[in-house]
Amino acid sequence: MVFIDLDGLRFHVQRLGPQDTGPPAATVVLLHGLLTDSLASYYFTLAPALAAAGVEVLMYDQRGHGRTGRPPTGYRLERFVDDLEALLDRLEVTGPVHLLGNSFGGTVAFGLAARRPEQVVGILAIESEPATAAWAAKLDGILRRAETELVKKSTLAWVAAKRGRHTARLARSAGTILAETSLAREIPASRLPDEAQLRAIRCPVLAVYGTRSDLAAQAAWLDGLLPDCRSAFVPGQEHSVLIETPDVVRELTLSWLREQGAELRGLAADPPVREAVREPARGAVR
């Protein structure tokens, strides 16, 4: 665990090297989602398996989250992309990287790929989408509701009863972030890439959805928008694919890295993908 100061903000960063001390088979940056998420989601699920497979893993708490500093302002999408860009420069990660983003983390990954196409060799987006006007409008509604509801004791009690105490603690933490920062107002006001900029993202993209998630309906649109994109679906899952089915995500990730030419080692030499359904959602539109 290290802390790195970037433009006056202290970031909590974790970097795992290949467990066998050999040369990295690939470099993967893990990007977490908004409010209830942090690098811990990867540290206890995906990161160890990647390191065991000979991958160099970089993950960090995004601004306002986890152990990274929480400034009152500065939460437009472009600032999150700035942070990723600055972190790669500070750590002297000059070669191409694979970006794996969960939810909002995938949106950040698309942002860097549009800005630095030469540095991003591939994107695996879990329950995620690029930033568009529709994305901004949806986030505006979600964040405004969360800003109102997550400070209510009745809401937190309902979450604890229905989802458990751990989820209630995460919800309480999310409410604190929203109360202490301008995130809910800044995210929807982010500078958005135009369609031409998104179509210029030519690296391979694997988009992973839960079959019961509302995001699954965008699969055909995203596959058609990006030159090299395909979708995979995890049966019976909603938005929390990474947390609910970490084994499936690990297998998908390792298989995807091998497809991109990474010479993985150890038990990851040929992982089976047992539960993901690799076919487009029928009737998916946007």
Side-chain angles (χ1 to χ4, degrees):
M1 178 178 66
V2 299
F3 290 91
I4 296 176
D5 292 324
L6 299 172
D7 195 24
L9 187 63
R10 177 157 291 189
F11 283 81
H12 172 218
V13 180
Q14 293 274 4
R15 196 172 189 177
L16 303 180
Q19 288 185 0
D20 61 6
T21 70
T27 299
V28 176
V29 183
L30 305 178
L31 300 159
H32 68 75
L34 281 177
L35 298 180
T36 59
D37 212 354
S38 70
L39 69 77
S41 295
Y42 291 119
Y43 191 84
F44 294 106
T45 57
L46 184 59
L50 291 176
V55 173
E56 179 184 37
V57 180
L58 173 62
M59 51 190 163
Y60 64 101
D61 286 329
Q62 303 212 51
R63 58 175 52 229
H65 295 72
R67 297 183 180 182
T68 289
R70 184 176 297 166
T73 61
Y75 291 93
R76 294 192 181 198
L77 172 61
E78 54 265 31
R79 293 298 300 273
F80 288 88
V81 179
D82 290 343
D83 294 338
L84 174 55
E85 189 174 30
L87 182 62
L88 292 174
D89 290 344
R90 176 66 64 84
L91 295 176
E92 298 182 340
V93 180
T94 57
V97 297
H98 300 268
L99 301 179
L100 192 153
N102 183 44
S103 193
F104 179 75
T107 308
V108 175
F110 286 119
L112 185 69
R115 185 184 296 184
R116 282 190 175 186
E118 74 287 350
Q119 191 167 17
V120 180
V121 72
I123 296 173
L124 196 157
I126 304 169
E127 276 290 308
S128 185
E129 59 191 308
T132 62
W135 168 87
K138 178 175 65 177
L139 266 289
D140 186 34
I142 292 172
L143 292 171
R144 287 181 184 274
R145 288 194 300 274
E147 193 174 30
T148 300
E149 293 296 324
L150 293 183
V151 296
K152 295 180 179 179
K153 291 183 179 180
S154 58
T155 299
L156 296 174
W158 182 90
V159 173
K162 297 294 184 179
R163 302 292 185 181
R165 293 182 179 179
H166 175 67
T167 302
R169 286 195 295 270
L170 294 177
R172 186 179 297 108
S173 176
T176 301
I177 294 173
L178 292 170
E180 293 181 352
T181 73
S182 59
L183 184 148
R185 291 169 294 284
E186 289 198 60
I187 289 287
S190 298
R191 185 169 63 246
L192 303 176
D194 59 32
E195 184 172 311
Q197 290 173 305
L198 294 178
R199 289 188 180 279
I201 297 175
R202 300 191 173 276
C203 64
V205 175
L206 175 62
V208 179
Y209 308 97
T211 56
R212 296 174 59 190
S213 166
D214 59 353
L215 277 176
Q218 76 161 11
W221 166 78
L222 190 61
D223 289 353
L225 176 72
L226 302 178
D228 189 359
C229 178
R230 75 174 193 273
S231 300
F233 299 85
V234 184
Q237 293 302 310
E238 298 180 352
H239 190 61
S240 300
V241 170
L242 174 64
I243 300 303
E244 297 294 333
T245 58
D247 291 344
V248 174
V249 174
R250 282 195 294 268
E251 292 175 2
L252 279 170
T253 302
L254 293 169
S255 294
W256 178 71
L257 288 172
R258 289 191 353 267
E259 290 173 10
Q260 307 311 313
E263 297 183 0
L264 303 182
R265 305 190 285 271
L267 295 178
D270 191 22
V273 178
R274 293 186 295 269
E275 299 179 41
V277 180
R278 293 178 178 272
E279 62 182 33
R282 299 187 184 278
V285 295
R286 186 178 178 84

